[in-house]
Amino acid sequence: MRPPQSTTPRERTTRSDRTGRPLVGVLAVKDLALAKTRLAEQLSTGIRARLVLAMMRDTVAVLHRSGAAGVVVVSPDPRVLAAAEESGARVLAESATPGASTRGHAQLNRAFVAGSTVAAHAWEDPRVMLVQADLPAARADHLATAADLAIGTARAIITDRDGSGTTLLVVDRAGELTDRPPRFGSGSARRHVAQGATDLSTLRGHPPWPDLRTDVDTLEDLAVAAHLGTGDHTRAVIAELHASGALSQTG
């Protein structure tokens, strides 16, 4: 990892949660050339890149609206870093792995740890929310509620729509991720629970949170997000896909 492109003194923000401590969102985004490969048969590399950037921008924006003290975005792609900075996030340029043709889950989890380390140095004793960067339908009030429900737990997750993956992980102490990194990847919900995380998706009386559980890997996922309502950046790309007929098969 290279040093953050933005370097300022530790932020003593007044935007703290009910713990009296700041909550910082952390996102990890692939090289755009490798992003959303499950959509490669339906969408060109260029439109996939625009979609990834749009979803990331909307995810950063909703984290800011939810009351997060700040957001850190980690990526090896300068286009992602530029868009993240324009959206008000701190950025960390991730070194690409020589010879790597894909970004593995281990690399994704290392990026989350690196971003959390930046958060721990930039904010005073923060909680961190590791968030998948493809949650374009996420609502600010639901993110804030999830963060509140995670208070009192060492770790807490929200699962994806089928319950096997993890869309976000709240960690009470950013520094502990160095010794116990997150376990994002296929089947991550089970692994995170095995680490001691509370599954907020299964709490009785919790909101259904379809918006927080809809990460986008397929056109069907994107259609679900569109039905829920996305941020402005993703909405513009969806309009383009509708105009081209790419989303007609999923409504």
Side-chain angles (χ1 to χ4, degrees):
M1 301 283 178
R2 294 190 291 276
Q5 292 181 7
S6 300
T7 55
T8 60
R10 181 184 292 270
E11 298 187 21
R12 298 181 180 272
T13 175
T14 58
R15 300 187 71 188
S16 56
D17 58 23
R18 289 196 296 110
T19 66
R21 296 159 54 207
L23 176 74
V24 179
V26 179
L27 282 64
V29 184
K30 293 179 180 180
D31 185 316
L32 293 179
L34 305 174
K36 299 301 173 191
T37 54
R38 290 174 62 182
L39 291 170
E41 292 187 3
Q42 296 101 339
L43 304 179
S44 68
T45 301
I47 190 64
R48 293 201 316 273
R50 291 200 296 279
L51 177 62
V52 170
L53 288 175
M55 294 192 295
M56 183 270 294
R57 285 178 178 271
D58 286 334
T59 304
V60 170
V62 77
L63 279 163
H64 284 306
R65 293 197 304 274
S66 75
V71 181
V72 177
V73 175
V74 183
S75 178
D77 195 307
R79 294 168 293 177
V80 172
L81 300 177
E85 282 197 305
E86 289 172 3
S87 300
R90 282 174 170 263
V91 299
L92 177 62
E94 178 189 12
S95 299
T97 303
S101 59
T102 61
R103 178 193 175 101
H105 297 146
Q107 188 174 353
L108 172 66
N109 288 312
R110 286 195 298 271
F112 274 125
V113 172
S116 298
T117 300
V118 169
H121 283 88
W123 284 271
E124 189 74 33
D125 190 24
R127 300 164 72 214
V128 290
M129 178 182 283
L130 313 186
V131 185
Q132 298 283 21
D134 56 355
L135 295 179
R139 287 176 43 175
D141 57 336
H142 287 176
L143 282 170
T145 299
D148 280 350
L149 287 174
I151 293 173
T153 68
R155 298 186 182 208
I157 64 168
I158 289 180
T159 65
D160 61 11
R161 286 193 295 146
D162 71 12
S164 65
T166 306
T167 60
L168 66 86
L169 168 66
V170 183
V171 181
D172 187 57
R173 301 288 175 183
E176 74 148 11
L177 286 166
T178 302
D179 295 326
R180 288 203 306 145
R183 303 294 299 278
F184 284 94
S186 180
S188 62
R190 174 180 51 80
R191 292 192 298 276
H192 282 138
V193 169
Q195 281 187 322
T198 298
D199 184 355
L200 300 179
S201 312
T202 64
L203 293 181
R204 296 181 64 179
H206 75 81
W209 291 327
D211 54 310
L212 300 187
R213 302 184 69 180
T214 301
D215 55 337
V216 175
D217 290 312
T218 67
L219 287 182
E220 179 183 0
D221 296 334
L222 187 59
V224 171
H227 178 74
L228 291 169
T230 70
D232 292 342
H233 298 286
T234 306
R235 188 180 302 116
V237 177
I238 288 172
E240 181 181 350
L241 293 175
H242 274 301
S244 69
L247 278 181
S248 60
Q249 58 184 309
T250 55

